[in-house]
Amino acid sequence: MPLRHVVTWKMAGDSEEERGRLKAELRDRLESLPSQIDVIRGFEVGVNNAGADDNFDVVLVSEFDDEDGLQQYIHHPVHQEVVAFVRANTVGRAGVDVLF
């Protein structure tokens, strides 16, 4: 059964300029994953440009064939490099996994 994995992050940073740089770097890192992890079936990254301070900054909507595919993605070494960047540069995360 197809699975959609949706995650959103709030970036850290002391200034809007720094948060903007971090948003762009996270977007770039995420967008590099599909070419390196073959279990990804769909992948979209969005960056919030609306300016509302209470909004999250970056969203990922990804799709996998099933839970096993998601777990392979989660544990893949290239994904784990992005996870390390996220943990060092975010102050909030929310996620949901939905079966279709």
Side-chain angles (χ1 to χ4, degrees), residues 10-65:
K10 185 81 169 168
M11 303 311 295
D14 295 329
S15 67
E16 187 58 38
E17 180 179 278
E18 183 179 5
R19 284 188 298 280
R21 182 187 59 76
L22 291 171
K23 288 192 286 189
E25 185 169 348
L26 178 54
R27 180 199 60 224
D28 293 347
R29 287 173 180 254
L30 289 168
E31 288 179 343
S32 76
L33 295 178
S35 66
Q36 300 178 75
I37 304 175
D38 65 357
V39 296
I40 296 171
R41 299 295 175 247
F43 208 83
E44 284 186 83
V45 179
V47 175
N48 178 30
N49 294 313
D53 287 339
D54 58 344
N55 286 351
F56 277 68
D57 295 308
V58 179
V59 64
L60 167 66
V61 179
S62 53
E63 294 183 12
F64 302 88
D65 288 337

